[in-house]
């Protein structure tokens, strides 16, 4: 019924890909890894056509707890507009959404930009790389998990012998 055409990017039953062919009985969709899935046209319902409207790419990056949030926001508000000139596929943005999560080791911030669906994955990678570069240039620390390895102090550890000795001492003091 004209809901999608060859070349459109669609999602059908959780399979996302580009429409390769629409036949009388089947439709062929190629996924991002190059796999082709064939759908019986009679089974196709609930199609999400992502080609008709602009898509939103996003990148989320974390800052360390204790980092001055107002400083980070000011740096991003200064630097983000410059990114549009660096990527011809960006239709609008980028825009800082702000703090989107408080994680185990940092505060997550998300930036979005508008592009075509064909470019959304590349735009995600571009935004992530550029955010990291902006942080590096401006002394904004990105958190990472730390593991502390410690050695047990066996000398100060009490044993059953210590317990029995303490019990005997208590009995002797109590008599």
């Amino acid at each position: 019924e004209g809901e999608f055409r060859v070349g459109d990017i669609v999602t059908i039953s959780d399979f996302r890909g580009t429409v390769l062919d629409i036949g009388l009985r089947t439709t062929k969709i190629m996924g991002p890894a190059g796999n082709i899935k064939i759908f019986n046209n009679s089974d196709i319902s609930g199609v999400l056509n992502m080609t008709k409207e602009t898509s939103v790419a996003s990148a989320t990056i974390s800052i360390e707890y204790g980092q001055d949030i107002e400083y980070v926001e000011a740096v991003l508000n200064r630097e983000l507009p410059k990114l549009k000139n660096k990527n011809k596929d960006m239709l609008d943005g980028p825009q800082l959404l702000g703090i989107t999560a408080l994680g185990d080791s940092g505060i997550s911030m998300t930036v979005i930009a508008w592009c075509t669906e064909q470019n959304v994955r590349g735009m995600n990678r571009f935004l992530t790389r550029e955010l990291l570069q902006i942080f590096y240039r401006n002394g904004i620390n990105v958190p990472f998990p730390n593991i502390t390895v410690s050695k047990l102090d066996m000398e100060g550890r009490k044993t059953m012998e210590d317990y029995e000795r303490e019990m005997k001492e208590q009995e002797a003091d109590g008599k």
Side-chain angles (χ1 to χ4, degrees):
E1 296 187 24
E3 294 299 320
F4 57 89
R5 301 177 304 218
V6 172
D8 284 354
I9 297 174
V10 298
T11 298
I12 301 173
S13 301
D14 294 331
F15 189 82
R16 178 186 184 276
T18 303
V19 178
L20 292 180
D21 181 57
I22 303 171
L24 292 175
R25 293 186 182 156
T26 62
T27 296
K28 295 179 184 176
I29 310 290
M30 184 171 64
N35 300 322
I36 297 173
K37 184 157 183 163
I38 301 170
F39 291 92
N40 290 325
N41 289 342
S42 60
D43 296 335
I44 295 175
S45 65
V47 176
L48 176 60
N49 187 338
M50 297 171 287
T51 307
K52 292 188 176 186
E53 300 292 329
T54 57
S55 295
V56 177
S58 68
T60 299
I61 192 165
S62 294
I63 60 173
E64 289 181 343
Y65 282 104
Q67 180 71 54
D68 186 332
I69 294 169
E70 290 176 349
Y71 172 74
V72 174
E73 290 172 336
V75 166
L76 289 174
N77 288 330
R78 180 189 72 217
E79 296 292 326
L80 288 178
K82 298 174 186 176
L83 297 184
K84 189 168 184 181
N85 297 332
K86 291 180 78 172
N87 191 314
K88 63 178 176 39
D89 295 326
M90 190 179 302
L91 302 175
D92 198 10
Q95 176 183 338
L96 174 62
L97 292 184
I99 295 173
T100 53
L102 301 176
D104 291 337
S105 59
I107 300 166
S108 297
M109 302 181 92
T110 300
V111 171
I112 60 172
W114 288 264
C115 60
T116 62
E117 184 61 27
Q118 292 88 341
N119 297 320
V120 75
R121 290 192 171 138
M123 188 63 64
N124 290 340
R125 292 187 299 272
F126 170 77
L127 288 172
T128 300
R129 179 186 187 284
E130 292 301 317
L131 284 172
L132 190 58
Q133 294 289 13
I134 289 168
F135 281 15
Y136 287 163
R137 284 192 306 267
N138 291 280
I140 299 169
N141 294 327
V142 178
F144 54 91
N146 290 297
I147 298 174
T148 302
V149 179
S150 59
K151 183 178 176 183
L152 290 176
D153 180 11
M154 298 302 285
E155 290 183 30
R157 188 173 176 188
K158 294 205 175 200
T159 65
M160 193 61 187
E161 292 172 0
D162 294 321
Y163 177 78
E164 290 171 353
R165 186 178 59 254
E166 289 171 1
M167 294 304 294
K168 286 181 184 176
E169 289 173 2
Q170 284 181 4
E171 285 178 16
D173 289 344
K175 288 187 181 180

